[in-house]
Each structure stands twice: as structure tokens, then as C-alpha cells.
Amino acid sequence: MKTVDNYNFKGKKAVVRVDFNVPLDAQFAITDDTRMRAALPTINKILNDGGAVILMSHLGRPKDVFEEKYSLKHIVSHLGNLLGKPIKFATDCIGQPATSAAAALQMGEVLLLENLRFHKQETAGTESFAQELASHGDVYVNDAFGTAHRAHASTTIIARFFPNDKVFGYVMANEVANINKVLNNSEKPVTAVMGGAKVSGKILIIENLLDKINNLIIGGGMAYTFIKAQGGKVGSSLVEEDKLDIALKIVKDAKAKGVNLYIPVDTIVGDAFANEANKQTVDINTIPDGWMGLDIGPATEKIYADVIKNSKTILWNGPMGVFEMSNFEHGTKAMAEAIVAATKLGAYSLIGGGDSVAAINKYHFAEQVSYVSTGGGALLEYIESGSLPGVDAIEKN
Ligand code: AMP
């Protein structure tokens, strides 16, 4: 993998795609600067080599024109504090403001360009726009994993203009290396723990994973589609009627590929979708009418935790139940605990994709698993297709 470690930036202006898409409050104060902090090692490597840094990012979802609330000027002073030096700012990412600021930039200095998405050519992936961005510097660095699944001008198309001078930043390199540990260089047994609301968004991921894993654990709302497909009674649980065939296909494919498929054997049901609902534990195949499955039951928890603790590689995506409600979080918390225990026993564990990251943070386990991915959609798409436009743009010519 070509990373900033393999490149000497001395005397070079580096155009660096970062993910500074940070949340701002009504006064434009940054409420969580995790993404900015994540980019500091890459920026500092370039500066320490004796290079200059031109940062480009998107912020929010502007409608292709300038919008005050999405201006990156709001983050300039905080970035300066983090880097311990003044930051130059260009009021546009292309045109005169950007070209003259980039031309005047001295080695050791940092320039931040205004929000890329004030131009519709960014998300359209317009080549001439990418070329204008490329003209600001001598080398391209991509450190924005969260947008690597998009073939945007600044994440993918721009790389064409740097055939020999394009590398990954540390955030990107880390994400790619960690995902490859699960997908390609994994120690067996490999277990995927899949949960969340629906099976529909995860079909391709599950299908692709079947070639790489030994155990597939199913929980969350998607479990009831599997149960109904196999003839069980699911009461008023979440079910995707149009995905029953697909659930059966996954069962069949798992068997054909020798993957042990685990589906809940019991469930905690509520008589309403609410934390205060009446609840009881029932057999998974005989959920009474008027009740819905909101968490995995204790017998399931035990089976799943044992599988996890005997695994050497674990991928977790999606909660086991409605973990936002304290009365239905037990199963999700138990899985998080089992993953932490397995990690202590030497397993490699990767947590990724939206709500499982929220869950691991809720229980303060982020430090006790091997890796928590920062790129929800990008991670899932990487698992689904085995590559990402932003990764290929650097790795392939
Ligand atoms: P996803 O974004 O697909 O990973 O789904 C995450 C959401 O699934 C969370 O907000 C959970 O509350 C929800 N979820 C998990 N289990 C269930 C369930 N049994 N019924 C309904 N929603 C669920």
C-alpha cells in the first residue's frame, strides 16, 4: 500500500482530501472534532518532511452553492489550535481565491480550501473540476475514508492527474489494512455478527461474507424475516415480506458453503414498540399475536456469546435488538461483552457500520476491541464489493 510513509514531501505542495465533515451547533461551534484529530498525523507527516499542505473537504450537504452554515471557515481557528499554527483559508476551492492562495503557499504552511460541495461538479465527479483541484499541488493524498465509496472529483477522479504521486493518508491506510485483516488475512474461525433493522440493506454483504467466514450470527430486526421464512410465527415483529425468499437463499447458501448459520432460538418480545411495553421471553418460533421481538433472548445470548468467544476473527455490524431502549439492550450489550472477552483472548475484532459503533461507544468498549471503523457506508461497501473507488484510484493506474 502506498502511504504518506513511502513519500518524501520535502519541497512539495500536497493536495490532501480530508474528512472535516464535523458536526456544528447553531453558533457554528464544533461539537465533535474526532474527524479533524484523525487527520493530524497525516498533515504533520507532510509538514515535518518540509512540505506544504492544501486541505480540501466537504461539510454537510449544501445545495451546490455557498451556504453560510456549511462554510469551512467555521473550523479554521480550531484547526489552527490543533496544529499549533495559523491556517490560511481560500474562500473557494477553485478559481482565483484558491489558485492564488495555493501559489503563495510556503513550505511548512497549511491552506484550507472552502467546502468542495459548493460546486455540483464535486459529487458529479467532473474531470475538469478535478483537474482544477489537482493544479493546486504536486502530490495527492487521500485521507478521507468516509467518502472513499464515492467516485467524487476530490476522492477519486483527481488521482488521474497524479499518476506517480498519489498516496493514502494514515486514516485511509489504517481502515484498509484493518478491513483486509477481516476479509483477506483472517485467522479462523471467522465470525460475522450481523444485526440491525432490516435484511434488505445487508443481503449483498452477507452473500459476499459467506465465502470468507465460518460462522454467521443473525440478530436484530432482520432475524424475524428468517424465522417467518422458515415457517415460524413472528407476531407483529418487523418482517420484510418481500425478502422471505432471500432469507431462505442465505440459509441454503450458508449450508452449501459450510458456514454455520446461527438464528435466534428465543426472543424478548414487547406488546408495543416502546421501552415501557410489557415484555416476556418466548420461543422464537411461537411469538404470540400482538407481540413483537425487540431483543434476542437469554438462551440465544449464551449460544452466540460462546461462538464469539471461540472465534479468532470477529466482524460486528448492527445491534441485536432495539438497544436504544434500556429494556431491550441486553442482547446487544452481551454481544459487545463477548467480543471484548474474545479480544482479550487474542481474537481480532472489527466493529463497523453505524449502530454497532454507537453501541460499542455506549458501553465504553471502544478501547477494548481491536478496531472501530470510522466509515459506516464506506466500510459496508468495501465488504460488499471488495473494493472502493477511492482506494482503487490510488492503487491502480
Ligand atoms: P441498521 O441501521 O440496519 O444497522 O439498524 C439499526 C437499528 O435497528 C437500530 O436503531 C435498532 O433499534 C433497530 N433494531 C434492532 N433490532 C430491532 C428489532 N427487533 N425490531 C425493530 N428494530 C430493531
Side-chain angles (χ1 to χ4, degrees):
M1 209 191 297
K2 291 177 283 184
T3 78
V4 283
D5 280 336
N6 312 119
Y7 199 94
N8 185 352
F9 291 88
K10 187 169 173 28
K12 306 269 188 189
K13 291 181 185 174
V15 184
V16 187
R17 177 54 159 105
V18 288
D19 180 2
F20 283 174
N21 183 27
V22 291
L24 302 178
D25 67 16
Q27 281 72 46
F28 308 122
I30 300 162
T31 54
D32 180 353
D33 69 352
T34 310
R35 287 174 172 162
M36 293 173 74
R37 287 177 187 277
L40 298 179
T42 295
I43 297 170
N44 282 324
K45 154 71 170 121
I46 298 165
L47 295 176
N48 291 339
D49 271 5
V53 177
I54 300 165
L55 297 168
M56 46 182 189
S57 178
H58 76 285
L59 175 66
R61 292 172 180 239
K63 294 179 189 68
D64 305 329
V65 288
F66 177 85
E67 281 178 70
E68 176 72 19
K69 68 173 171 177
Y70 296 129
S71 174
L72 282 168
K73 71 183 177 197
H74 303 306
I75 72 159
V76 170
S77 74
H78 187 62
L79 182 62
N81 292 340
L82 290 175
L83 284 168
K85 59 166 65 209
I87 307 297
K88 302 211 150 67
F89 182 68
T91 55
D92 199 349
C93 62
I94 54 164
Q96 193 271 330
T99 38
S100 52
L105 197 68
Q106 301 295 309
M107 293 305 136
E109 292 184 337
V110 179
L111 167 67
L112 175 65
L113 304 179
E114 181 58 288
N115 196 340
L116 294 157
R117 292 198 190 164
F118 288 163
H119 295 268
K120 65 173 181 303
Q121 295 93 324
E122 163 63 359
T123 51
T126 308
E127 187 157 22
S128 56
F129 176 76
Q131 188 168 21
E132 281 194 73
L133 296 172
S135 71
H136 300 325
D138 312 301
V139 44
Y140 171 63
V141 179
N142 190 350
D143 209 18
F145 183 73
T147 46
H149 56 318
R150 307 277 181 230
H152 293 170
S154 70
T155 63
T156 302
I157 313 302
I158 188 174
R160 291 179 197 161
F161 301 98
F162 300 96
N164 302 312
D165 301 275
K166 49 179 184 174
V167 294
F168 293 115
Y170 293 121
V171 174
M172 280 284 277
N174 234 333
E175 290 275 352
V176 172
N178 278 287
I179 299 164
N180 280 332
K181 260 190 216 168
V182 171
L183 294 186
N184 302 318
N185 309 315
S186 48
E187 201 183 330
K188 292 181 177 11
V190 184
T191 299
V193 183
M194 302 295 291
K198 293 181 174 179
V199 70
S200 47
K202 314 240 164 120
I203 296 161
L204 289 173
I205 297 169
I206 292 175
E207 288 286 355
N208 193 32
L209 280 173
L210 288 179
D211 289 323
K212 304 175 187 291
I213 60 178
N214 307 103
N215 305 306
L216 174 60
I217 288 178
I218 302 280
M222 72 165 88
Y224 307 94
T225 298
F226 283 87
I227 298 300
K228 175 143 193 198
Q230 293 181 307
K233 271 182 74 228
V234 295
S236 44
S237 305
L238 187 65
V239 165
E240 288 171 279
E241 296 287 346
D242 59 337
K243 296 291 179 289
L244 299 175
D245 290 351
I246 281 170
L248 287 181
K249 181 172 184 310
I250 290 172
V251 174
K252 203 170 127 233
D253 290 350
K255 198 166 188 186
K257 294 183 176 181
V259 176
N260 305 310
L261 176 63
Y262 295 90
I263 294 174
V265 296
D266 61 349
T267 173
I268 301 179
V269 294
D271 59 0
F273 189 80
N275 194 37
E276 296 71 34
N278 294 307
K279 63 174 192 170
Q280 57 173 321
T281 301
V282 299
D283 180 277
I284 195 80
N285 287 306
T286 51
I287 300 177
D289 289 342
W291 294 73
M292 63 182 83
L294 296 175
D295 197 3
I296 54 172
T300 306
E301 248 180 40
K302 181 159 186 332
I303 296 167
Y304 286 11
D306 284 346
V307 174
I308 290 170
K309 284 179 198 159
N310 286 310
S311 302
K312 283 275 167 261
T313 304
I314 302 153
L315 168 71
W316 183 25
N317 169 263
M320 295 291 101
V322 187
F323 78 107
E324 298 93 335
M325 301 180 189
S326 58
N327 286 329
F328 300 101
E329 70 171 344
H330 200 276
T332 300
K333 193 171 179 196
M335 292 309 100
E337 283 165 353
I339 292 169
V340 166
T343 311
K344 284 207 176 87
L345 291 170
Y348 172 83
S349 54
L350 187 147
I351 319 299
D355 277 320
S356 29
V357 176
I360 213 86
N361 287 332
K362 181 175 179 189
Y363 308 125
H364 307 289
F365 285 148
E367 305 295 323
Q368 296 175 65
V369 295
S370 307
Y371 193 70
V372 180
S373 173
T374 58
L379 172 83
L380 297 183
E381 198 167 317
Y382 204 172
I383 298 173
E384 209 170 288
S385 62
S387 69
L388 292 175
V391 173
D392 286 352
I394 299 231
E395 284 187 338
K396 299 181 180 154
N397 272 323

